[in-house]
Amino acid sequence: MSEARLSDPIYRLKNLTKVYGERRVLNIATLEVYRGEILALVGPSGSGKSTLLRLLNFLEPPSEGVIEFEGVEYGVNQSPKLEKRRQVVAVFQRPMLLNRSVWDNAAYGLRLRGEHDTRSQVQRALAQVGLEGLAQQRAHTLSGGEAQRVALARAIAIHPQVLLLDEPTANLDPYNVGLIEGIVQRLNREQGTTLVLVTHNIFQARRLAQRVAFLLDGQIIEMGEVGQFFDAPQDARTRAFIRGEMIY
Amino acid sequence: MGLKRFRGRRLIAALLYTGMGFPPVVIGLFVYLLLSRNGVLGSLNWSFLPKLFTPAAMVVAQTVIAFPLVAGFTMAAVMGVDPQLRQQLLSLGATPRQAAVTVLMEARLGVIVAIAAGFGGIISEVGAVMLVGGNIEGRTRVLTTAIVLETRKGNFELALALGGVLLLLTFLANLVMLRLQGKVFDE
């Protein structure tokens, strides 16, 4: 990753908060996501990681503050145009496939965009996740790992600028975890897709990410380059979390 | 209704469920009173309102009978789809409308049941169509009212034959709907 790319933010978050009822689940003073990087968000459950991801996906508006995406600011009551929103896609912990064939699942995002000639793109996406052979199989006959790879194929078929991953490998066997990590790394390297990965697995963060942010109670406690984050954390709470000593 | 949580949703659901069990003949009576020349709507003489004893009036009554059945079953089917699916669809770039259509497609087994229930409810209906349509030969006589009439006249063979035709039609219609459920049904 070159230095020039790392200085070009695709997202810029300012004074962002999210409140559900009485609870403030997110309170971020500032956060930048650089174009073409892999950023991992780590932290215990309930720390606001998934909420942040939903805001980055424009599925929910912030309660306060602004999200700048590709140079345009979106405040509390402004959501991006469909065309912009469609450059970001998320894969969640559960694959949430449609009750159709693997092929139709992978083609879904392209069809939403009114693309008719989806054949080559779907084929490539399925090849990327190693499932060309299962194209005609019904989605719900797949194993957990295969299903998650189809979910990934469905997301990458649309060539998103940003791919958000919310615990994509929780509950999967090590073989599929390895496959999926390889797929997203290749995607980042070869196509320059910006990746934001939410994980409670610090080993995965270490393996994949270039930068890591540690969230606790909706706030970013510490953020840095992956080496520095793990080898020389500044905050005592980060150290405790990395050592697996965080008592909750 | 199946997709969103809003105020009064529970009340509307209760009304729908009541409507599902509402005696069709009573609905027929209401429509009769509304459309008759001295009725609330009939006296307005609006041209788009159907006149009593016409097929259009029967369609109105049948629609009122079928609506709660179709809506109630569809709502239940849609509520059976994982709520997180909608979030995933929006994330993939669906407009709210596209997401709703996809959720309906996912619930298609139940949606077809809803249509079958509505169809079954009205094809077999006698009382309301008799009241509102008037059982006029060649105009508003349907299979069910014809069966009643022929049985009264003692033409049991004709009544039975008509009954057979009605059964066959219902069976064929349901076969078509089963086909629409498609592969999902076989799993």
Side-chain angles (χ1 to χ4, degrees), chain B residues 80-104:
Chain B
V81 176
D82 193 324
Q84 278 195 18
L85 178 67
R86 191 164 174 276
Q87 174 177 284
Q88 174 72 77
L89 301 177
L90 293 173
S91 173
L92 283 162
T95 62
R97 194 194 175 84
Q98 286 176 320
V101 170
T102 305
V103 170
L104 262 185

Side-chain angles (χ1 to χ4, degrees), chain B residues 16-58:
Chain B
L16 268 186
Y17 292 154
T18 310
M20 288 166 87
F22 215 73
V25 68
V26 179
I27 291 173
L29 176 61
F30 287 159
V31 174
Y32 184 98
L33 292 175
L34 282 174
L35 294 183
S36 72
R37 207 164 301 172
N38 301 319
V40 181
L41 296 175
S43 57
L44 293 171
N45 245 330
W46 284 338
S47 56
F48 63 86
L49 280 177
K51 297 272 180 293
L52 214 48
F53 309 129
T54 60
M58 295 160 74

Side-chain angles (χ1 to χ4, degrees), chain A residues 16 24-29 46-49 215-220:
Chain A
L16 199 77
R24 180 185 279 197
V25 293
L26 209 58
N27 183 12
I28 292 176
S47 58
K49 309 184 296 283
L215 268 82
L216 190 63
D217 294 328
Q219 301 191 38
I220 295 180

Side-chain angles (χ1 to χ4, degrees), chain A residues 87-194:
Chain A
Q87 297 179 3
V88 187
V89 64
V91 172
F92 299 98
Q93 184 172 346
R94 291 191 295 143
M96 304 297 322
L97 297 182
L98 299 167
N99 192 358
R100 306 176 182 179
S101 70
V102 166
W103 181 277
D104 286 342
N105 268 285
Y108 181 77
L110 293 166
R111 294 209 180 118
L112 285 180
R113 286 156 177 76
E115 292 189 28
H116 299 294
D117 195 22
T118 58
R119 211 184 148 73
S120 63
Q121 295 176 80
V122 174
Q123 212 145 31
R124 188 147 21 122
L126 286 177
Q128 271 174 287
V129 301
L131 289 175
E132 316 93 301
L134 297 182
Q136 293 317 314
Q137 200 161 322
R138 305 282 302 172
H140 70 121
T141 61
L142 302 173
S143 72
E146 289 166 342
Q148 190 63 307
R149 277 148 63 199
V150 174
L152 204 54
R154 180 174 61 177
I156 62 186
I158 62 177
H159 299 291
Q161 290 277 331
V162 182
L163 177 60
L164 307 168
L165 301 163
D166 192 353
E167 303 278 8
T169 60
N171 316 326
L172 291 186
D173 58 287
Y175 172 70
N176 272 293
V177 172
L179 278 179
I180 286 174
E181 287 184 359
I183 295 162
V184 300
Q185 264 176 327
R186 231 173 300 132
L187 193 70
N188 172 257
R189 213 171 33 233
E190 290 167 14
Q191 297 181 27
T193 311
T194 307

